[in-house]
Amino acid sequence: MFYELRRYKVLEGKMDEWVAYMEDVIIPFQVGKGMVITGSFRGEEDDTTYVWMRRFASEAEREELYEKVYQSETWEKDIAPRVGELLDRSGIDVTRIVPTPRSVAH
């Protein structure tokens, strides 16, 4: 099992709009495809920082879910274009992390 820690740079003045889009559209869509979203956060003082996490049982599961989400017509035609209006895509950082032996995240 591993997690993806995903850090995004939201365009100036777009944070409220981005959070609403994540919570109303992106997260429900991805969960509906089988993704496990374990957290969603915005910067406390930095209004351009958004962080979220997803959990995967294996690399094979991640590949399968990526295909279901990112190769879908809904993602390509409806969701992805809006993402580009709210995020600085060059500011996306994805780090794969694994829980330490005593972490409650197992």
Side-chain angles (χ1 to χ4, degrees), residues 13 16 33 41 46 52 56 61 65-67 71 83 87:
D16 290 340
K33 296 288 187 183
F41 311 88
D46 177 359
W52 64 308
F56 300 95
E61 179 190 60
L65 292 173
Y66 262 50
E67 185 172 335
Q71 302 304 312
V83 169
L87 292 184

Side-chain angles (χ1 to χ4, degrees), residues 22-72:
M22 279 295 292
E23 292 183 342
D24 296 341
V25 177
I26 294 175
I27 291 174
F29 174 74
Q30 291 195 9
V31 168
K33 296 288 187 183
M35 290 276 189
V36 176
I37 312 300
T38 61
S40 174
F41 311 88
R42 62 188 295 165
E44 181 178 23
E45 295 181 12
D46 177 359
D47 207 31
T48 64
T49 296
Y50 178 82
V51 178
W52 64 308
M53 295 191 317
R54 300 189 291 200
R55 185 183 69 223
F56 300 95
S58 65
E59 177 61 18
E61 179 190 60
R62 186 197 68 79
E63 290 174 4
E64 176 186 331
L65 292 173
Y66 262 50
E67 185 172 335
K68 284 181 180 178
V69 168
Y70 298 116
Q71 302 304 312
S72 71

